[in-house]
Amino acid sequence: MRVKKVMALMLSSVMIFSTVPGEVLAAEEVPTEFTDGVEDLEEKFSAEPSKDGEDLSDKNSEDLATKTEIKDELNSVNANDNVVESGICGDDVRYTVTKNDDSCGYTLTIDGNGAMYKYNTPHQWVPWTYSPYKSQITCVIIQNNVTTIARSAFFEFSNLTDITIPGSVTDIGQGAFGSCSSLINIVIPDGITSIEAATFYGCNSLTNIVIPQSVDEIGTAAFYGCSSLKNIVIPPNVTSIKDSVFYGCSNLTSITIPKNVTSIWPAAFSGCSNLSNITIPKSVMSIGNDAFYGSGLRNIKYIGSKEQWDKLDVSLQDINYATVSFHEHSYESYIIRNATCTETGSKKWICNLCGDFYIEEIKTIDHKEAKDDAVRATCTRTGKTEGSHCSVCGKVLTIQKTIAAKGHLWSEWRVVSEPMGALDGLEQRTCMRCGKSESRNISPTIIPVPTMPEPTATPKPELAEKEFKITENSYEGIYDGKNHAEGLISLEEKPETDYKIYYSIDKELNEKNYSILGSQSLPNCKNVNDYTLYYYIVAFGYKSKAGSVSVQIEPRNIEEKTVKLPYESTEYTGKYITPYTMIDGLTWNVDYSLEYVDNKQPGIAKIIITGMGNYKGTLEKTFEITKMKQNIKADKIPVYYEKGKTFNLNAASDGPGLLSYTSSDENVVKVDE
């Protein structure tokens, strides 16, 4: 009976090609003893409606033939010397067969717009079916804008080695590449959602195929007899492995069944003689008869419990008498990388039963806020509102808004000296906010004397501005936690009037921007970096001075630091052991990171400490994981011996949970074996 079932499944695949000319067994020719279940499968693969949902009648066939003859005549007029055959295969789709330039074989080109005819009725097939060049076609080119490939379109193209399928194709008919025995590689374009029944039936040279993620169904016998296929990736949205889909794929060594698959149909992997191991997800609710019969299957890893497997009611013959192992994952986690305010962290979950693992992302932590002091606006300089930034990554959290300069609030002009003769007088006014004063001359009143020339005003000497005398120093050294911006800029002589120094990191200051970009607070240059410290000095009566100094701070070697472990040895627990590791003055995940090696099983575990930020280099520390101690409790046993004689009864462990007893004097007491 089992032979009948397998033959019926094979027959269901063959019947797909019964509408195509060639030496294929028709359903009525099958011996009666092998016809179990064939009727249902034959009905399943009956012809689909033709284009626009209507079957092509004999009349339509005649119309199609007439249309083909007309277009053949038109094509023959315009064809070049290499075209040996042409015609139509869709409302706006045509084909040409051309002789290759190397005189080796022919190329079939399909171009136009839209779908090919479906050729679904028993006596209709693609126009090149009886072409004398069919067996010599080595290349098929489908131009962009063609949207479908007809059923059995390239059936028995025995010398086809190269095919181009554009992204415009969204449907490939049943048996499209059946018995293309020379086809080795093929790429299915994105957008295809189904690989129909027997699409690659009998492609015994096919070694590689790329199936897009968009495919959610693979039909019966789709890869039947693909004996050269070594591995294949089933897209994640496929929910069932259909009848005989990989039947006879004798070189198939690995395949992954997606987590969404709920059923494996009869004979799905029959004859896969090199397939020895397979993992079946617990989503599978049924496994059909002979699913793995005649394969090389030896081990099945079932991702579920034994109770769940037993409910599948699978016979040993259906799974080729393979050994089944099953469990539910028991995960434990440990931190790979802690999250910061700018980068996510990661946590690794490992099943302590089978080693399966997955990585979980740890969300970023909140920023550590540091305040930016407000800057008071003056008469001439803009101010800033209070803001804030992250002290770890430097990101601005609250933007400081600019406050416009207030402008001077002048008093009335006050006469300091009256004009005398031809000499100007002087008057002043003072800003009532900042105290700044400004002066202007009072011109004398000149009484003209007719007989004397008008006196010429004596030129006034211009006030020369003084220059700052500044000493600039740069710094280059190793990180020590100090602010090395201090003391780099010093005045050799302090101005006689008030002066102000503005600073900026990496932003050059000048007379136009110093009050906006600069700050009177000395910047912090203590962390590892190459800084350029710009400055701008202003004072009344002095010529403003701009300049810069450099601060270069290199990371300190972490090997200089002392590492403290809470213990040098600890007892085995069955879990990963991660002792808290301290380094004086340093912060974990800011100044250094930790990596643990061999930290679960008894033996010597290693901690790798890697410097980061202001530190460089690595340190290694070790600790011992000792075996767990076991306490053995021995039951009391009665002993009978002759009065007046002495002996010792010794107990020793022969293994986990076992004790054996010996007597110190077997002449007094002997312990039975």
Side-chain angles (χ1 to χ4, degrees):
M1 186 63 184
R2 183 168 297 278
V3 174
K4 293 180 182 180
K5 291 178 181 178
V6 174
M7 290 298 294
L9 290 167
M10 293 171 64
L11 179 60
S12 68
S13 304
V14 173
M15 287 177 62
I16 294 167
F17 299 110
S18 62
T19 62
V20 181
E23 297 180 2
V24 180
L25 229 70
E28 59 270 19
E29 296 174 325
V30 179
T32 359
E33 61 268 33
F34 296 138
T35 56
D36 293 8
V38 172
E39 291 80 9
D40 293 337
L41 290 169
E42 183 176 12
E43 181 180 352
K44 179 178 179 180
F45 296 117
S46 61
E48 299 178 0
S50 184
K51 59 169 187 168
D52 301 325
E54 297 178 4
D55 289 338
L56 291 173
S57 63
D58 290 340
K59 180 178 182 305
N60 289 339
S61 300
E62 293 172 3
D63 293 340
L64 180 61
T66 304
K67 190 182 292 186
T68 303
E69 291 171 1
I70 293 170
K71 289 205 172 183
D72 281 348
E73 291 174 2
L74 292 173
N75 287 338
S76 64
V77 173
N78 298 315
N80 59 44
D81 293 339
N82 288 337
V83 174
V84 296
E85 183 180 322
S86 62
I88 63 170
C89 52
D91 285 344
D92 193 18
V93 181
R94 55 202 168 274
Y95 77 94
T96 57
V97 178
T98 55
K99 186 173 180 60
N100 295 339
D101 291 337
D102 57 6
S103 300
C104 183
Y106 294 81
T107 296
L108 171 64
T109 302
I110 301 172
D111 64 1
N113 294 284
M116 293 176 63
Y117 294 134
K118 291 189 175 180
Y119 304 102
N120 281 337
T121 60
H123 301 291
Q124 290 181 336
W125 40 80
V126 289
W128 51 81
T129 299
Y130 292 116
S131 172
Y133 309 103
K134 174 181 174 179
S135 63
Q136 300 177 64
I137 291 175
T138 61
C139 177
V140 172
I141 299 173
I142 303 173
Q143 301 288 6
N144 204 17
N145 295 329
V146 175
T147 60
T148 67
I149 296 176
R151 178 175 180 170
S152 303
F154 311 113
F155 178 67
E156 288 187 338
F157 272 37
S158 57
N159 279 308
L160 179 63
T161 59
D162 187 24
I163 183 165
T164 302
I165 305 176
S168 59
V169 172
T170 58
D171 182 74
I172 300 176
Q174 294 181 359
F177 299 96
S179 296
C180 289
S181 55
S182 297
L183 189 62
I184 298 175
N185 300 296
I186 191 167
V187 177
I188 307 298
D190 291 336
I192 297 292
T193 59
S194 173
I195 295 179
E196 300 289 345
T199 299
F200 297 98
Y201 181 100
C203 292
N204 53 24
S205 295
L206 185 64
T207 60
N208 183 51
I209 182 169
V210 178
I211 303 176
Q213 299 290 294
S214 55
V215 169
D216 56 19
E217 182 178 2
I218 300 177
T220 296
F223 296 97
Y224 188 108
C226 292
S227 56
S228 296
L229 194 62
K230 293 184 178 180
N231 56 68
I232 190 169
V233 177
I234 302 176
N237 293 326
V238 172
T239 58
S240 65
I241 310 297
K242 296 291 182 66
D243 310 55
S244 306
V245 67
F246 297 109
Y247 190 102
C249 293
S250 55
N251 268 312
L252 189 64
T253 59
S254 67
I255 190 167
T256 301
I257 299 178
K259 295 181 180 179
N260 289 327
V261 169
T262 59
S263 61
I264 300 174
W265 290 31
F269 296 96
S270 289
C272 295
S273 55
N274 275 310
L275 185 64
S276 59
N277 300 285
I278 197 166
T279 299
I280 299 178
K282 63 181 179 181
S283 59
V284 172
M285 305 302 293
S286 65
I287 297 177
N289 293 336
D290 302 319
F292 297 93
Y293 182 73
S295 69
L297 193 61
R298 294 291 177 267
N299 299 291
I300 295 176
K301 183 178 179 182
Y302 179 64
I303 309 302
S305 64
K306 184 178 185 303
E307 291 75 13
Q308 290 171 312
W309 176 263
D310 291 341
K311 289 179 181 179
L312 296 178
D313 194 23
V314 181
S315 74
L316 288 174
Q317 186 163 312
D318 292 336
I319 60 173
N320 204 50
Y321 301 92
T323 301
V324 182
S325 61
F326 30 74
H327 77 275
E328 292 184 350
H329 292 303
S330 175
Y331 289 102
E332 293 181 355
S333 67
Y334 71 93
I335 301 296
I336 299 174
R337 183 180 66 254
N338 283 282
T340 66
C341 51
T342 57
E343 294 183 351
T344 58
S346 58
K347 180 189 295 185
K348 188 173 186 178
W349 292 85
I350 303 177
C351 175
N352 55 23
L353 298 176
C354 69
D356 182 69
F357 70 91
Y358 65 92
I359 306 297
E360 177 186 355
E361 183 180 83
I362 304 173
K363 294 182 179 179
T364 55
I365 61 176
D366 293 335
H367 292 288
K368 188 174 181 180
E369 185 176 17
K371 289 186 177 180
D372 298 318
D373 294 335
V375 178
R376 185 175 60 87
T378 66
C379 298
T380 57
R381 190 188 67 190
T382 58
K384 295 180 182 178
T385 60
E386 185 181 88
S388 64
H389 67 278
C390 176
S391 61
V392 177
C393 68
K395 181 180 180 180
V396 175
L397 304 179
T398 304
I399 298 174
Q400 289 183 284
K401 296 180 180 178
T402 301
I403 303 172
K406 296 179 180 180
H408 293 296
L409 183 61
W410 297 109
S411 65
E412 296 294 330
W413 288 101
R414 179 177 61 85
V415 175
V416 176
S417 61
E418 295 287 351
M420 294 182 64
L423 298 176
D424 289 344
L426 184 68
E427 60 181 357
Q428 289 182 339
R429 64 177 180 177
T430 304
C431 175
M432 292 182 287
R433 287 197 182 101
C434 67
K436 180 180 180 180
S437 298
E438 69 175 16
S439 303
R440 68 181 182 184
N441 293 333
I442 304 173
S443 299
T445 302
I446 304 298
I447 299 173
V449 178
T451 58
M452 295 180 64
E454 185 177 346
T456 303
T458 304
K460 302 180 186 68
E462 293 186 2
L463 252 145
E465 289 184 315
K466 296 181 180 179
E467 291 190 358
F468 291 107
K469 293 183 179 180
I470 298 172
T471 300
E472 296 179 350
N473 295 294
S474 293
Y475 176 82
E476 182 177 349
I478 297 174
Y479 171 78
D480 59 5
K482 297 179 181 179
N483 185 5
H484 290 285
E486 296 178 356
L488 298 183
I489 303 166
S490 59
L491 293 170
E492 296 178 9
E493 295 180 4
K494 290 190 176 180
E496 298 172 357
T497 59
D498 289 340
Y499 68 94
K500 293 178 181 179
I501 305 178
Y502 295 85
Y503 302 95
S504 172
I505 294 293
D506 298 331
K507 293 179 181 178
E508 188 174 356
L509 302 179
N510 54 48
E511 62 179 352
K512 294 182 179 180
N513 66 9
Y514 74 92
S515 63
I516 299 173
L517 301 180
S519 172
Q520 294 184 52
S521 301
L522 190 67
N524 192 343
C525 298
K526 70 176 184 178
N527 292 322
V528 171
N529 204 346
D530 289 344
Y531 302 91
T532 300
L533 177 62
Y534 292 94
Y535 67 89
Y536 194 86
I537 305 178
V538 294
F540 182 75
Y542 283 78
K543 186 177 181 180
S544 299
K545 172 70 174 178
S548 65
V549 295
S550 64
V551 180
Q552 296 180 357
I553 302 176
E554 299 293 331
R556 182 169 291 277
N557 200 321
I558 201 168
E559 295 177 0
E560 301 175 9
K561 293 292 182 178
T562 302
V563 180
K564 295 180 181 179
L565 295 181
Y567 46 75
E568 293 183 355
S569 67
T570 185
E571 194 173 78
Y572 170 77
T573 64
K575 299 181 179 180
Y576 290 96
I577 300 173
T578 55
Y580 181 68
T581 304
M582 294 178 55
I583 303 179
D584 288 341
L586 271 63
T587 302
W588 171 68
N589 215 33
V590 174
D591 299 315
Y592 64 92
S593 63
L594 299 175
E595 180 183 357
Y596 297 90
V597 180
D598 298 330
N599 60 327
K600 183 176 181 181
Q601 301 298 329
I604 302 300
K606 184 188 296 184
I607 306 173
I608 301 174
I609 305 164
T610 304
M612 56 188 295
N614 292 322
Y615 292 86
K616 66 179 181 180
T618 58
L619 274 172
E620 290 188 3
K621 300 292 288 184
T622 59
F623 64 93
E624 183 180 9
I625 301 175
T626 60
K627 294 182 178 179
M628 183 184 294
K629 296 179 180 178
Q630 294 182 333
N631 296 320
I632 301 175
K633 183 178 180 182
D635 293 332
K636 294 181 179 179
I637 59 174
V639 177
Y640 303 96
Y641 60 96
E642 188 176 343
K643 187 176 181 181
K645 295 187 177 182
T646 62
F647 69 95
N648 292 324
L649 189 63
N650 303 316
S653 174
D654 290 340
L658 299 175
L659 285 177
S660 63
Y661 298 92
T662 58
S663 172
S664 62
D665 190 345
E666 292 192 353
N667 294 321
V668 179
V669 169
K670 186 175 181 180
V671 180
D672 293 337
E673 293 294 337

